[in-house]
Amino acid sequence: MSKFMEVAANRDYSKSWQAPGSFPWIFQQPKPPIEKRVIGVRENYIRCAKGEQPYWMPAYFYESNIVWPDAMEEHPVPEVDGYDWWGVNWIMVDSAGGMITKPDTRAISDFSRWKEELNWPDLSLVDFRTDGQKIQKMLDPERPHVYECVEGIFERLHEMLPFEESLMAFYEEPELLEEFFQKMADYKIESTQKIIDYYGRIDGVLYHDDWGTQRSGFFSNEMFREQIMPATKRFMDYLKKKVAFIELHSCGKNIQYVPMMLEMGIDMWTPQLFINEPDYLHSTYGKVMTFTFPLMIEPQWKEDEIRRAVREFVDHFGENGRVMCWIMTENFNQDQEDIARDELYRYSLTYYNQRFGRN
């Protein structure tokens, strides 16, 4: 057992471990109940994710609960500078609001030696049961519960050694790379099953794997299909048997991969803001995939301006019932968010009743 795995194996998971104010801590906090609606919030959210004629347009993030286990040490726990259970060294970047791997960190000396050098986490040593009991107490039974499955199959590769070396493996060691990705898919399946077993109801999985830059994907479509897709699809096939929907978090301008996302069974993508064109995604794929698009509320807007912007958003993106609205305000302005969510529910409820022939 590595010294990093030993820390994870001996942690007291009855305690809350995340640093107050960090994103894991924010995700874990209980949310206020949502007022009674025409159908359950959970049912409506799943309808939207699956393209099954929701009754209103969900307010993204607000209407779901994120399941972020302390017992999954894909990042340091607590999320401050330190090591995860793979032995990867992470640092917090306050300006980005998250963690990155420390430059030049490596958990293996060379990709060609991963079989000899890499210490795979022994999940049997971790007290998922106690952590799951703790996390469940903070989940709203009326909301969908979404497991935040971070550090995907490709991300984990380039976290273990410098990024350029991970890309070279695609050319220099394609067969060994396929073995690595398939073994990582095994790990993802095993670890996700722990969450399903011990954390109560899991309705969806939000799978993280960043595939692109600000300009395009990292890989040609051919390389993606040949080397990223097989192991990823095997994990997606497992998820489809276990949860109601699969959401993808993949930073970068990754529009080119949407057809393959669909082939892998991904129901929903929250594209990185400002570099993926919402109108193109909506017009091209809006009938077959659900998207989350942002609604930016200007700080000077009054109530009538906020409500008008919400109505325009619904009119623009609501036709297929496959868009969620991510309401964004400056400095998390609660009053503006309350107004926007109220209008989103009321207006989109009427809109969808008309759109889908409900009376």
Side-chain angles (χ1 to χ4, degrees):
M1 184 189 340
S2 73
K3 62 180 180 180
F4 308 108
M5 191 70 221
E6 186 174 1
V7 171
N10 290 287
R11 194 182 297 278
D12 179 0
Y13 289 104
S14 65
K15 299 179 180 179
S16 295
W17 282 96
Q18 297 299 344
S22 68
F23 275 109
W25 181 87
I26 292 170
F27 292 154
Q28 291 174 346
Q29 299 312 296
K31 292 182 177 178
I34 296 175
E35 69 279 4
K36 185 174 175 58
R37 298 190 171 183
V38 292
I39 64 170
V41 173
R42 170 177 173 262
E43 178 185 347
N44 188 73
Y45 196 99
I46 293 172
R47 279 175 172 261
C48 184
K50 300 289 290 182
E52 297 172 350
Q53 298 187 356
Y55 278 72
W56 69 88
M57 182 181 287
Y60 185 71
F61 184 69
Y62 173 75
E63 291 187 24
S64 65
N65 269 142
I66 296 296
V67 179
W68 188 295
D70 287 336
M72 282 295 297
E73 301 214 8
E74 300 284 17
H75 291 178
V77 177
E79 193 152 294
V80 295
D81 293 8
Y83 291 86
D84 62 25
W85 58 18
W86 299 91
V88 173
N89 194 358
W90 293 78
I91 57 174
M92 176 61 71
V93 180
D94 292 332
S95 60
M99 304 202 82
I100 64 169
T101 54
K102 188 175 182 179
D104 298 322
T105 191
R106 58 172 70 237
I108 50 178
S109 63
D110 185 84
F111 178 71
S112 65
R113 297 188 58 81
W114 71 261
K115 288 185 178 181
E116 297 83 35
E117 297 180 356
L118 187 57
N119 290 306
W120 291 78
D122 183 351
L123 302 183
S124 69
L125 301 174
V126 180
D127 189 3
F128 287 99
R129 183 183 301 275
T130 298
D131 191 52
Q133 292 170 347
K134 175 189 70 184
I135 295 294
Q136 286 182 66
K137 294 176 182 177
M138 297 181 276
L139 301 177
D140 179 357
E142 301 302 318
R143 285 174 162 90
H145 300 167
V146 183
Y147 166 45
E148 193 101 1
C149 182
V150 299
E151 311 317 312
I153 289 169
F154 172 64
E155 286 180 332
R156 183 47 72 184
L157 170 67
H158 67 73
E159 289 160 359
M160 291 176 171
L161 70 173
F163 192 84
E164 62 273 15
E165 292 183 32
S166 68
L167 294 181
M168 288 303 298
F170 283 77
Y171 297 94
E172 295 179 343
E173 303 278 4
E175 294 181 0
L176 192 61
L177 182 68
E178 174 65 11
E179 285 189 70
F180 175 87
F181 284 155
Q182 291 293 347
K183 188 168 177 61
M184 192 58 68
D186 290 338
Y187 162 76
K188 284 297 187 186
I189 290 169
E190 181 187 6
S191 58
T192 301
Q193 189 63 51
K194 295 289 188 183
I195 308 306
I196 291 170
D197 289 343
Y198 295 114
Y199 289 75
R201 191 190 76 231
I202 301 294
D203 299 301
V205 169
L206 174 47
Y207 175 65
H208 288 235
D209 209 10
D210 293 344
W211 292 331
T213 70
Q214 296 276 342
R215 294 179 295 178
S216 68
F218 289 129
F219 322 97
S220 68
N221 288 359
E222 293 77 14
M223 181 176 282
F224 185 96
R225 182 176 291 280
E226 182 177 341
Q227 295 180 283
I228 297 292
M229 193 169 168
T232 305
K233 185 177 186 303
R234 187 160 68 84
F235 181 43
M236 298 299 107
D237 288 344
Y238 158 81
L239 292 179
K240 284 187 287 185
K241 298 174 184 177
K242 299 291 182 175
V243 297
F245 65 91
I246 305 169
E247 180 185 354
L248 175 68
H249 171 101
S250 187
C251 287
K253 189 171 183 178
N254 294 329
I255 290 174
Q256 69 193 78
Y257 303 135
V258 171
M260 285 170 279
M261 295 178 196
L262 291 166
E263 284 184 52
M264 289 189 286
I266 292 167
D267 301 293
M268 177 177 168
W269 178 34
T270 300
Q272 185 178 346
L273 305 179
F274 312 122
I275 62 172
N276 294 279
E277 298 90 342
D279 285 350
Y280 175 82
L281 288 169
H282 175 62
S283 63
T284 308
Y285 301 109
K287 293 182 179 180
V288 291
M289 177 172 273
T290 296
F291 298 100
T292 297
F293 296 139
L295 173 59
M296 312 301 295
I297 305 297
E298 298 295 333
Q300 73 276 11
W301 283 359
K302 305 301 182 185
E303 180 172 346
D304 60 335
E305 295 171 295
I306 295 171
R307 292 185 182 276
R308 181 168 62 250
V310 170
R311 294 193 295 271
E312 290 173 352
F313 185 96
V314 173
D315 289 341
H316 192 72
F317 291 119
E319 61 182 320
N320 302 313
R322 299 209 69 163
V323 166
M324 297 191 188
C325 180
W326 195 348
I327 297 166
M328 295 188 170
T329 61
E330 189 173 278
N331 298 321
F332 304 102
N333 186 308
Q334 191 63 57
D335 291 339
Q336 287 188 321
E337 289 184 20
D338 288 344
I339 293 168
R341 286 198 297 263
D342 178 73
E343 188 67 23
L344 181 65
Y345 172 63
R346 296 177 186 279
Y347 184 75
S348 65
L349 178 64
T350 300
Y351 179 98
Y352 284 145
N353 280 343
Q354 296 173 346
R355 182 75 182 169
F356 300 133
R358 301 185 185 112
N359 296 315

